[in-house]
mmCIF file of all heavy atoms in Angstrom:
data_model
loop_
_atom_site.group_PDB
_atom_site.id
_atom_site.type_symbol
_atom_site.label_atom_id
_atom_site.label_comp_id
_atom_site.label_asym_id
_atom_site.label_seq_id
_atom_site.Cartn_x
_atom_site.Cartn_y
_atom_site.Cartn_z
ATOM 1 N N ASP C 113 99.784 92.321 107.680
ATOM 2 C CA ASP C 113 99.988 91.869 106.303
ATOM 3 C C ASP C 113 101.196 90.941 106.176
ATOM 4 O O ASP C 113 101.151 89.961 105.447
ATOM 5 C CB ASP C 113 100.121 93.077 105.346
ATOM 6 C CG ASP C 113 101.210 94.029 105.784
ATOM 7 O OD1 ASP C 113 101.617 93.985 106.957
ATOM 8 O OD2 ASP C 113 101.681 94.823 104.939
ATOM 9 N N ILE C 114 102.239 91.231 106.931
ATOM 10 C CA ILE C 114 103.444 90.400 106.850
ATOM 11 C C ILE C 114 103.180 89.004 107.396
ATOM 12 O O ILE C 114 103.534 87.996 106.773
ATOM 13 C CB ILE C 114 104.600 91.055 107.643
ATOM 14 C CG1 ILE C 114 104.970 92.390 106.995
ATOM 15 C CG2 ILE C 114 105.805 90.125 107.690
ATOM 16 C CD1 ILE C 114 106.041 93.147 107.755
ATOM 17 N N THR C 115 102.532 88.926 108.545
ATOM 18 C CA THR C 115 102.280 87.602 109.122
ATOM 19 C C THR C 115 101.263 86.838 108.286
ATOM 20 O O THR C 115 101.383 85.617 108.124
ATOM 21 C CB THR C 115 101.777 87.696 110.574
ATOM 22 O OG1 THR C 115 100.610 88.510 110.610
ATOM 23 C CG2 THR C 115 102.845 88.286 111.477
ATOM 24 N N ALA C 116 100.291 87.548 107.747
ATOM 25 C CA ALA C 116 99.295 86.867 106.906
ATOM 26 C C ALA C 116 99.995 86.202 105.721
ATOM 27 O O ALA C 116 99.749 85.037 105.398
ATOM 28 C CB ALA C 116 98.241 87.861 106.415
ATOM 29 N N GLU C 117 100.903 86.960 105.110
ATOM 30 C CA GLU C 117 101.662 86.416 103.981
ATOM 31 C C GLU C 117 102.519 85.224 104.419
ATOM 32 O O GLU C 117 102.588 84.200 103.723
ATOM 33 C CB GLU C 117 102.558 87.534 103.403
ATOM 34 C CG GLU C 117 103.547 87.111 102.349
ATOM 35 C CD GLU C 117 102.898 86.767 101.034
ATOM 36 O OE1 GLU C 117 101.657 86.864 100.908
ATOM 37 O OE2 GLU C 117 103.625 86.371 100.096
ATOM 38 N N PHE C 118 103.126 85.370 105.585
ATOM 39 C CA PHE C 118 103.972 84.285 106.097
ATOM 40 C C PHE C 118 103.180 83.001 106.308
ATOM 41 O O PHE C 118 103.564 81.942 105.831
ATOM 42 C CB PHE C 118 104.625 84.720 107.409
ATOM 43 C CG PHE C 118 105.385 83.636 108.109
ATOM 44 C CD1 PHE C 118 106.603 83.185 107.607
ATOM 45 C CD2 PHE C 118 104.884 83.046 109.269
ATOM 46 C CE1 PHE C 118 107.315 82.183 108.262
ATOM 47 C CE2 PHE C 118 105.588 82.037 109.917
ATOM 48 C CZ PHE C 118 106.803 81.612 109.422
ATOM 49 N N TYR C 119 102.057 83.122 106.990
ATOM 50 C CA TYR C 119 101.257 81.926 107.267
ATOM 51 C C TYR C 119 100.698 81.338 105.970
ATOM 52 O O TYR C 119 100.608 80.140 105.806
ATOM 53 C CB TYR C 119 100.115 82.250 108.242
ATOM 54 C CG TYR C 119 100.595 82.350 109.668
ATOM 55 C CD1 TYR C 119 100.488 83.541 110.387
ATOM 56 C CD2 TYR C 119 101.159 81.257 110.310
ATOM 57 C CE1 TYR C 119 100.937 83.632 111.700
ATOM 58 C CE2 TYR C 119 101.614 81.346 111.634
ATOM 59 C CZ TYR C 119 101.503 82.528 112.313
ATOM 60 O OH TYR C 119 101.946 82.614 113.606
ATOM 61 N N ARG C 120 100.330 82.224 105.045
ATOM 62 C CA ARG C 120 99.815 81.728 103.771
ATOM 63 C C ARG C 120 100.873 80.890 103.051
ATOM 64 O O ARG C 120 100.596 79.805 102.536
ATOM 65 C CB ARG C 120 99.384 82.907 102.890
ATOM 66 C CG ARG C 120 98.215 82.604 101.941
ATOM 67 C CD ARG C 120 98.024 83.715 100.933
ATOM 68 N NE ARG C 120 99.269 84.070 100.260
ATOM 69 C CZ ARG C 120 99.890 83.331 99.376
ATOM 70 N NH1 ARG C 120 99.405 82.156 99.014
ATOM 71 N NH2 ARG C 120 101.029 83.736 98.844
ATOM 72 N N ARG C 121 102.109 81.390 103.067
ATOM 73 C CA ARG C 121 103.166 80.655 102.374
ATOM 74 C C ARG C 121 103.509 79.363 103.104
ATOM 75 O O ARG C 121 103.787 78.334 102.457
ATOM 76 C CB ARG C 121 104.398 81.545 102.208
ATOM 77 C CG ARG C 121 104.098 82.681 101.234
ATOM 78 C CD ARG C 121 105.252 83.637 101.120
ATOM 79 N NE ARG C 121 106.398 83.061 100.428
ATOM 80 C CZ ARG C 121 107.525 83.749 100.210
ATOM 81 N NH1 ARG C 121 107.631 85.006 100.641
ATOM 82 N NH2 ARG C 121 108.518 83.183 99.567
ATOM 83 N N MET C 122 103.482 79.411 104.405
ATOM 84 C CA MET C 122 103.675 78.171 105.171
ATOM 85 C C MET C 122 102.580 77.177 104.801
ATOM 86 O O MET C 122 102.847 75.987 104.573
ATOM 87 C CB MET C 122 103.604 78.472 106.679
ATOM 88 C CG MET C 122 104.768 79.246 107.231
ATOM 89 S SD MET C 122 106.253 78.236 107.463
ATOM 90 C CE MET C 122 105.896 77.512 109.069
ATOM 91 N N MET C 123 101.377 77.684 104.759
ATOM 92 C CA MET C 123 100.241 76.825 104.430
ATOM 93 C C MET C 123 100.427 76.203 103.044
ATOM 94 O O MET C 123 100.172 75.011 102.837
ATOM 95 C CB MET C 123 98.956 77.652 104.487
ATOM 96 C CG MET C 123 97.694 76.941 104.113
ATOM 97 S SD MET C 123 97.392 76.987 102.317
ATOM 98 C CE MET C 123 96.873 78.680 102.087
ATOM 99 N N VAL C 124 100.884 77.002 102.091
ATOM 100 C CA VAL C 124 101.082 76.492 100.730
ATOM 101 C C VAL C 124 102.112 75.366 100.725
ATOM 102 O O VAL C 124 101.924 74.333 100.072
ATOM 103 C CB VAL C 124 101.520 77.639 99.792
ATOM 104 C CG1 VAL C 124 102.031 77.087 98.466
ATOM 105 C CG2 VAL C 124 100.363 78.608 99.572
ATOM 106 N N ILE C 125 103.188 75.569 101.495
ATOM 107 C CA ILE C 125 104.217 74.527 101.575
ATOM 108 C C ILE C 125 103.611 73.227 102.112
ATOM 109 O O ILE C 125 103.782 72.149 101.526
ATOM 110 C CB ILE C 125 105.380 74.981 102.488
ATOM 111 C CG1 ILE C 125 106.115 76.156 101.854
ATOM 112 C CG2 ILE C 125 106.344 73.824 102.754
ATOM 113 C CD1 ILE C 125 107.140 76.800 102.766
ATOM 114 N N VAL C 126 102.886 73.348 103.197
ATOM 115 C CA VAL C 126 102.303 72.152 103.810
ATOM 116 C C VAL C 126 101.250 71.533 102.896
ATOM 117 O O VAL C 126 101.209 70.318 102.695
ATOM 118 C CB VAL C 126 101.677 72.488 105.185
ATOM 119 C CG1 VAL C 126 100.944 71.275 105.752
ATOM 120 C CG2 VAL C 126 102.755 72.968 106.144
ATOM 121 N N LYS C 127 100.448 72.399 102.294
ATOM 122 C CA LYS C 127 99.386 71.880 101.421
ATOM 123 C C LYS C 127 99.977 71.101 100.251
ATOM 124 O O LYS C 127 99.490 70.007 99.922
ATOM 125 C CB LYS C 127 98.527 73.036 100.900
ATOM 126 C CG LYS C 127 97.257 72.566 100.217
ATOM 127 C CD LYS C 127 96.335 73.719 99.845
ATOM 128 C CE LYS C 127 96.911 74.533 98.711
ATOM 129 N NZ LYS C 127 95.988 75.607 98.281
ATOM 130 N N SER C 128 101.032 71.619 99.641
ATOM 131 C CA SER C 128 101.584 70.892 98.499
ATOM 132 C C SER C 128 102.179 69.560 98.947
ATOM 133 O O SER C 128 102.132 68.570 98.204
ATOM 134 C CB SER C 128 102.614 71.729 97.738
ATOM 135 O OG SER C 128 103.348 72.536 98.595
ATOM 136 N N GLU C 129 102.680 69.561 100.161
ATOM 137 C CA GLU C 129 103.162 68.298 100.721
ATOM 138 C C GLU C 129 102.006 67.308 100.861
ATOM 139 O O GLU C 129 102.117 66.137 100.497
ATOM 140 C CB GLU C 129 103.799 68.588 102.080
ATOM 141 C CG GLU C 129 104.999 67.768 102.470
ATOM 142 C CD GLU C 129 105.975 67.517 101.337
ATOM 143 O OE1 GLU C 129 106.092 68.342 100.390
ATOM 144 O OE2 GLU C 129 106.604 66.467 101.383
ATOM 145 N N LEU C 130 100.874 67.823 101.376
ATOM 146 C CA LEU C 130 99.691 66.962 101.533
ATOM 147 C C LEU C 130 99.242 66.407 100.187
ATOM 148 O O LEU C 130 98.864 65.240 100.071
ATOM 149 C CB LEU C 130 98.535 67.762 102.159
ATOM 150 C CG LEU C 130 98.745 68.303 103.570
ATOM 151 C CD1 LEU C 130 97.554 69.161 103.993
ATOM 152 C CD2 LEU C 130 98.959 67.178 104.567
ATOM 153 N N VAL C 131 99.311 67.269 99.180
ATOM 154 C CA VAL C 131 98.894 66.843 97.841
ATOM 155 C C VAL C 131 99.862 65.795 97.306
ATOM 156 O O VAL C 131 99.457 64.746 96.788
ATOM 157 C CB VAL C 131 98.833 68.061 96.896
ATOM 158 C CG1 VAL C 131 98.655 67.624 95.438
ATOM 159 C CG2 VAL C 131 97.683 68.989 97.312
ATOM 160 N N ARG C 132 101.163 66.099 97.461
ATOM 161 C CA ARG C 132 102.173 65.181 96.948
ATOM 162 C C ARG C 132 102.049 63.802 97.593
ATOM 163 O O ARG C 132 102.177 62.766 96.936
ATOM 164 C CB ARG C 132 103.571 65.758 97.228
ATOM 165 C CG ARG C 132 104.675 65.088 96.427
ATOM 166 C CD ARG C 132 106.009 65.752 96.650
ATOM 167 N NE ARG C 132 106.463 65.679 98.027
ATOM 168 C CZ ARG C 132 107.038 64.615 98.586
ATOM 169 N NH1 ARG C 132 107.234 63.512 97.865
ATOM 170 N NH2 ARG C 132 107.410 64.627 99.831
ATOM 171 N N LEU C 133 101.774 63.812 98.888
ATOM 172 C CA LEU C 133 101.690 62.542 99.614
ATOM 173 C C LEU C 133 100.307 61.898 99.498
ATOM 174 O O LEU C 133 100.065 60.837 100.052
ATOM 175 C CB LEU C 133 102.006 62.775 101.104
ATOM 176 C CG LEU C 133 103.417 63.291 101.428
ATOM 177 C CD1 LEU C 133 103.547 63.613 102.904
ATOM 178 C CD2 LEU C 133 104.463 62.260 101.022
#
Side-chain angles (χ1 to χ4, degrees):
Chain C
D113 55 341
I114 296 176
T115 56
E117 172 72 1
F118 173 72
Y119 282 118
R120 211 191 50 71
R121 292 176 70 179
M122 290 283 277
M123 177 273 286
V124 167
I125 294 171
V126 174
K127 191 174 71 176
S128 35
E129 215 41 29
L130 297 176
V131 169
R132 195 176 62 80
L133 297 174

